[in-house]
Amino acid sequence: MQDRIEYFLFISLSYIVRLLGLSLSQRLSYLLAAFFYFIVPIRKKTVKENLQKAFPEYNKAKINKIAFGSYASFCITLVEILYLPSMSKSELESSVSYTDIPLIRGKYNEGKGVIFLGAHFGNWEYIALTVAVQLDIPITVIVKSQRNTLVTNWLDKMRVKWGNKIVTLGISIRQVYKELREKRIVAMVADQRGPSDGIRINFMGRKASVFAGPALLALKTGAPIIFGVTIRQPDYSYKTAIEVISMEDLPEEEELRIAELSQRHASVLEKYIRQFPEQWFWMHKRWKY
């Protein structure tokens, strides 16, 4: 029953966003952010604790400003996702500016497959959609099931709207290997907290557990890792930041190779978080252990 009520509210909000239009809904997102930040402060304590750990040099006022900005960023992303059923392909293409498509296409043409690694930054759902549209090449998106299967199913329909396909994380890792062995592009995110016994890296000045999956897949298949995020602009459009993660000069021991490669892509993410801290998703306990 709870799932059905949540889904009803989710779908109702989607219809409201589509009725109001994307531009107005994006501007009104700040009211939604204020509601969740000041009135129903979901995970507010976690957000501030994370920011204090990541930026110990910042005073309380600056921490509070970034914290509210992160809520606003998430709410903008939310309404953009809710608008997807009404979004046209041309709207999607014009929403994100790419200058690095030749780089991605060049790596794809090497015939080793590509691991397109994103993060919960800007609008993380847009990036796999728009890369596939810009390249005119379907992408296999690795997704994590949400608690509410009705919402998950809705999201999955949006993710495949323009030709991409999805593989659920944890159900078919063999399918992920198969996609890379068949020289396809596989998109995933790996910026949240890894397992308690996972590999530790340095992230935002602290030791943090990381998911080793992207590094392990790259080393096993030879597929390059391309890191990409969308950076929201003042007019609500996005510019992309795309970087190839170097696989040169890695240690010989496998565990050290995985740790080093994981450190490299985490360091690239950290660079963009430090530039645009409000655009990263701070609502999970990144340094729980």
Side-chain angles (χ1 to χ4, degrees):
M1 180 59 72
Q2 180 182 349
D3 284 0
R4 291 185 180 277
I5 293 172
E6 289 174 352
Y7 181 66
F8 173 77
L9 294 173
F10 184 84
I11 291 298
S12 298
L13 187 55
S14 176
Y15 278 114
I16 292 171
V17 167
R18 291 149 63 186
L19 180 65
L20 294 175
L22 182 58
S23 180
L24 178 58
S25 296
Q26 287 167 323
R27 295 195 297 273
L28 292 176
S29 295
Y30 289 91
L31 296 178
L32 189 62
F35 176 78
F36 286 116
Y37 187 79
F38 294 109
I39 300 175
V40 185
I42 298 174
R43 300 190 182 185
K44 184 175 178 179
K45 181 180 179 182
T46 296
V47 170
K48 288 190 175 184
E49 287 177 350
N50 281 336
L51 287 169
Q52 288 162 357
K53 289 176 180 177
F55 301 103
E57 71 277 18
Y58 287 176
N59 61 30
K60 184 178 180 180
K62 193 162 186 177
I63 292 293
N64 288 339
K65 182 179 179 180
I66 295 172
F68 179 76
S70 72
Y71 276 74
S73 180
F74 174 74
C75 288
I76 294 168
T77 298
L78 175 61
V79 302
E80 288 168 347
I81 292 170
L82 291 169
Y83 182 76
L84 281 174
S86 294
M87 179 171 270
S88 67
K89 189 175 180 180
S90 60
E91 281 183 295
L92 180 69
E93 288 181 293
S94 63
S95 66
V96 183
S97 173
Y98 280 90
T99 58
D100 300 299
I101 287 299
L103 183 153
I104 303 172
R105 190 179 296 278
K107 286 295 179 183
Y108 174 75
N109 288 340
E110 290 178 3
K112 298 179 181 178
V114 172
I115 298 169
F116 194 83
L117 187 61
H120 292 89
F121 190 103
N123 188 323
W124 52 88
E125 293 288 349
Y126 268 12
I127 193 161
L129 291 171
T130 51
V131 167
V133 168
Q134 292 283 343
L135 288 172
D136 195 25
I137 298 171
I139 291 177
T140 300
V141 184
I142 312 304
V143 300
K144 182 179 180 180
S145 294
Q146 304 299 313
R147 180 190 58 77
N148 190 319
T149 56
L150 295 172
V151 173
T152 296
N153 292 338
W154 187 93
L155 287 171
D156 288 347
K157 287 179 181 178
M158 296 304 104
R159 289 162 175 156
V160 301
K161 184 176 179 180
W162 288 285
N164 285 351
K165 65 179 182 178
I166 58 174
V167 172
T168 302
L169 181 67
I171 291 179
S172 183
I173 192 65
R174 292 182 181 178
Q175 181 64 29
V176 180
Y177 275 103
K178 182 175 182 290
E179 296 293 319
L180 290 172
R181 290 296 186 188
E182 293 180 356
K183 320 306 179 190
R184 302 184 190 279
I185 301 175
V186 172
M188 64 183 74
V189 295
D191 58 329
Q192 293 189 316
R193 183 182 66 248
S196 59
D197 59 349
I199 292 173
R200 294 293 200 276
I201 58 163
N202 293 310
F203 184 63
M204 303 298 293
R206 290 175 172 267
K207 287 292 184 180
S209 176
V210 66
F211 286 106
L216 182 60
L217 285 167
L219 293 170
K220 292 292 186 182
T221 65
I225 298 176
I226 298 180
F227 179 87
V229 292
T230 54
I231 301 172
R232 186 178 295 112
Q233 305 301 301
D235 64 354
Y236 301 102
S237 66
Y238 291 89
K239 292 183 179 179
T240 56
I242 306 290
E243 296 190 27
V244 178
I245 305 301
S246 173
M247 295 178 65
E248 300 295 325
D249 301 318
L250 292 172
E252 292 187 7
E253 185 180 336
E254 183 179 31
E255 186 172 343
L256 294 178
R257 288 163 67 85
I258 294 171
E260 174 60 25
L261 196 51
S262 298
Q263 180 66 67
R264 290 179 186 182
H265 70 68
S267 295
V268 174
L269 171 60
E270 178 177 333
K271 177 176 68 175
Y272 292 108
I273 292 174
R274 291 192 178 280
Q275 291 179 59
F276 308 98
E278 71 285 348
Q279 294 200 35
W280 193 51
F281 187 76
W282 293 96
M283 297 182 188
H284 66 289
K285 292 185 177 182
R286 190 63 183 86
W287 294 278
K288 185 176 181 180
Y289 37 72

